Amino acid sequence: RLKDIELAKLGDSDVHVKMLAAPINPADINMIQGTYPILSPLPAVGGNEGVGEVLEVGRRVAALKPGDWVIPGTNALGTWRTQGVFPEETLLKVPSDIPVLCAATLSVNPCTAFRILADFETLAPGDSVIQNAANSGVGQAVIQIAKASGIKTINVVRDRPDLPKLVERLMALGADHVITEEMLRKPEMKEIFKSIPKPRLALNCVGGKSTTEMLRHLQPKGTMVTYGGMAKQPLMVPVSAFIFRDVRLRGFWITQWRKDHARDQESLTTMMDTLCQLIQRGQLTAPVCTEVPLQDYKAALENAMKPFISSKQILLL
């Protein structure tokens, strides 16, 4: 429910932030349902992502000043609020000249896309990747980051009534090929691989049958990275894929990456700088968003849970 709570007192190392916008992501809903690996102690404020403007800083805060824009540097910050007081180390500064929706959706999906493209296979311009759930927030970021690096993308989506519109939208973002899950089994796939090499990297956000079909097209010794499980079904991998093609199956969770690199400020800074530069150059845009005033949060939550929704619900705060 929407509730007025008293603002915490500003400590020496704290930052008073006016929140501007915060998205509703699947992980946020999983946390509310109690099924996510990280759960906030109750009562809790929802939201893991968003952007805010600094209003005031404690006397020991050196890296931030009023007027700066900040995004969460940690999980479960509770971003669905109008204002908050947060410890300085839980926040990351971002340029205030990037679009507000780009900043609000920066800390989860684009970071996931950046890491899964960079950390598992060494890709060069001309190489290709294949991904399912290509119209998801991560999927849209993968298309754009890959395009900026000269990497080709084969993008798998579920068949739907407005498929031509979706294909057009993903192609406009820089997708090289957009296909349905059914097409993965068809001979037309051979046509695709006449013009681009088979992928060394497959990105899986679905699980179940979609994953098995996608795996068929992976190069020998290629890697499949699973970062989501939207079908809520296990991965089915033929034994032959392991024995005769020596494929690797890996997993990725941005929260774990942040924990593992908590003392590696350089990796985090490099990633955020690269993503912000792509945004400033117009090479990385926010996913398709529906902006919803905070008081209409119930409708936003309902819409975020509907199938075939390609638009991310963003709470305006």
Side-chain angles (χ1 to χ4, degrees), residues 208-222:
K209 196 174 169 208
S210 164
T211 314
T212 314
E213 299 298 347
M214 200 162 62
L215 200 62
R216 292 171 186 276
H217 304 293
L218 200 58
Q219 274 190 35
K221 296 191 188 301

Side-chain angles (χ1 to χ4, degrees), residues 255-283:
T255 302
Q256 190 61 48
W257 185 90
R258 287 189 200 283
K259 273 189 203 161
D260 294 346
H261 293 78
R263 290 191 175 83
D264 178 10
Q265 207 50 41
E266 196 182 333
S267 287
L268 182 63
T269 306
T270 303
M271 174 172 69
M272 299 313 292
D273 287 351
T274 305
L275 291 172
C276 289
Q277 282 164 20
L278 287 173
I279 291 167
Q280 286 164 328
R281 291 202 295 263
Q283 292 176 296

Side-chain angles (χ1 to χ4, degrees), residues 137-210:
V138 173
Q140 292 175 56
V142 162
I143 290 169
Q144 295 173 86
I145 295 167
K147 175 81 173 174
S149 311
I151 294 158
K152 309 287 184 190
T153 55
I154 303 157
N155 300 281
V156 186
V157 296
R158 285 185 296 175
D159 200 3
R160 64 194 66 214
D162 61 345
L163 184 65
K165 209 157 81 179
L166 176 60
V167 171
E168 193 182 323
R169 192 153 60 71
L170 296 182
M171 296 297 273
L173 286 180
D176 294 283
H177 298 276
V178 182
I179 59 173
T180 61
E181 291 184 342
E182 291 72 24
M183 249 192 85
L184 283 168
R185 286 211 76 147
K186 297 198 170 154
E188 292 97 295
M189 290 303 290
K190 287 188 180 138
E191 289 302 308
I192 290 177
F193 296 124
K194 281 179 183 171
S195 59
I196 62 173
K198 284 207 164 193
R200 290 220 313 277
L201 183 64
L203 307 174
N204 170 45
C205 179
V206 178
K209 196 174 169 208
S210 164

Side-chain angles (χ1 to χ4, degrees), residues 221-243:
K221 296 191 188 301
T223 305
M224 175 176 277
V225 181
T226 294
Y227 67 92
M230 286 158 63
K232 294 186 167 62
Q233 291 167 355
L235 307 189
M236 305 290 282
V237 181
V239 171
S240 60
F242 285 122
I243 298 173

Side-chain angles (χ1 to χ4, degrees), residues 56-197:
E56 193 185 353
V57 299
R59 62 190 181 90
R60 286 207 194 122
V61 174
L64 295 170
K65 61 183 189 305
D68 284 345
W69 276 18
V70 288
I71 62 173
T74 181
N75 230 35
L77 205 59
T79 53
W80 300 348
R81 64 172 100 207
T82 54
Q83 294 187 29
V85 171
F86 308 106
E88 181 188 12
E89 72 268 13
T90 62
L91 301 169
L92 295 172
K93 183 180 169 181
V94 293
S96 55
D97 63 349
I98 62 176
V100 71
L101 293 181
C102 286
T105 55
L106 179 58
S107 66
V108 178
N109 292 341
C111 290
T112 296
F114 183 91
R115 297 260 61 102
I116 56 183
L117 282 170
D119 293 354
F120 296 91
E121 287 283 346
T122 307
L123 299 171
D127 284 345
S128 75
V129 300
I130 188 167
Q131 65 164 345
N132 55 22
N135 57 311
S136 66
V138 173
Q140 292 175 56
V142 162
I143 290 169
Q144 295 173 86
I145 295 167
K147 175 81 173 174
S149 311
I151 294 158
K152 309 287 184 190
T153 55
I154 303 157
N155 300 281
V156 186
V157 296
R158 285 185 296 175
D159 200 3
R160 64 194 66 214
D162 61 345
L163 184 65
K165 209 157 81 179
L166 176 60
V167 171
E168 193 182 323
R169 192 153 60 71
L170 296 182
M171 296 297 273
L173 286 180
D176 294 283
H177 298 276
V178 182
I179 59 173
T180 61
E181 291 184 342
E182 291 72 24
M183 249 192 85
L184 283 168
R185 286 211 76 147
K186 297 198 170 154
E188 292 97 295
M189 290 303 290
K190 287 188 180 138
E191 289 302 308
I192 290 177
F193 296 124
K194 281 179 183 171
S195 59
I196 62 173

